[in-house]
Amino acid sequence: MKLKFNQLSWAFLLSVILFSCNDSGSEQPLGEYEQGILIMNEGNFGTNDGEVYHLDPSTEVLKSNIFEAENMRPFAGILEDMVPVNGALYLVANTGKVEVVDAGTFKSLGAVSGDLDQPRSIAVADSKLFISDYGPYDESYATPDSYIAVVDGVNGGMVSKKIEVSNKPEDLFTYGKYVFVAGSEEGKVEVIDAEKEEVIKVLEVDGHPAQFFESEGRLWLYSTDSEEVYFQSFHMDNLTKATTSTLPVANATGRIAFGNDDLFYLLTSTGWPDYVDGVARVSVVGPELDLNWIEGSGFYGIGFDQSRDELYLANSNGFQGNGTVTVYSKDGTEIRNFEVGRGPSGFLFY
């Protein structure tokens, strides 16, 4: 499974404040779960026990299974992504559904279920939901029928259309009426016009696209291959590729955390048979390139708390029981660790 988890563009991270405004212009305190850290636990294949934990880093109080606690029913899926948009939080399960909850209370607002195959991520544009989906496997376990599912209405409902895209679409990014699609298998970025509900442009990119992010008003794409990683930017006025920066980071998994001081933290893994995992710390704009900043095994998710300058590293522990999270200072010193749910794979920092 990926995460990604919209790993939250810098623009979003910097925009989260202690109060939000309603339509009348008055200020209202954020809800309980819009403060602190949300931890995404993917869950175990077959038991579909994905869930979300909430951590208050100032008190270290950890609340487990908050979807079930607030809705009196289990999430019941393999949790693939969490995407916050306009006070709602979209929980994407690659077992074929999307749950929509209030970001502050975690109470259900609706859902998308049925007519989805393997959802990966979600974006909101033109008051519609756009859901990246691998589509069904064929007899060779390929996914030739990948698509973007369209749902009319931001709180869920039925799929109204499926837009054909390249194989294995992953992350999505909204810019005005456009939805950018990271086509991971074929090295493409497809641009969808949300009003027309059709692909209007296809851009060839380097590597396997994994994650969009925004920095200094520009859209970027993080991509990987076996020996290198790529940071590619785009011209938003004419929807073309602008620049490419290449770094010699081998075995990158596609999971990335955005630190302070223009630093990026990349998960790497040699895979079978050695299973040596690591965290590379790199910079696109400076000389920083530490390919073995942290080494270990079982690394499954990564995130960076920019307000506290702390790295969160999730370990699946081989899916043999619950996973753990270890917190590191910016110099790589271990601060603390704690047990979470099954298959922890990502973080959302408020």
Side-chain angles (χ1 to χ4, degrees), residues 188-266:
K188 296 179 180 179
V189 167
E190 286 138 311
V191 184
I192 292 173
D193 185 312
E195 296 174 355
K196 297 179 180 178
E197 298 180 5
E198 62 184 37
V199 174
I200 61 167
K201 197 159 195 175
V202 179
L203 305 175
E204 301 290 336
V205 295
D206 295 305
H208 299 285
Q211 177 70 49
F212 290 113
F213 64 98
E214 188 177 10
S215 178
E216 298 180 351
R218 175 170 282 189
L219 175 63
W220 290 81
L221 173 69
Y222 171 59
S223 299
T224 69
D225 66 23
S226 60
E227 299 296 331
E228 297 176 314
V229 299
Y230 308 91
F231 292 89
Q232 300 163 87
S233 68
F234 300 87
H235 295 296
M236 305 308 288
D237 54 348
N238 58 7
L239 306 179
T240 58
K241 199 169 103 169
T243 63
T244 300
S245 297
T246 305
L247 295 175
V249 181
N251 304 313
T253 66
R255 302 183 184 188
I256 181 173
F258 307 107
N260 293 317
D261 303 318
D262 297 313
L263 292 176
F264 301 87
Y265 299 83
L266 317 179

Side-chain angles (χ1 to χ4, degrees), residues 45-56:
F45 181 76
T47 53
N48 294 352
D49 54 353
E51 251 293 358
V52 182
Y53 283 25
H54 177 266
L55 173 68
D56 182 338

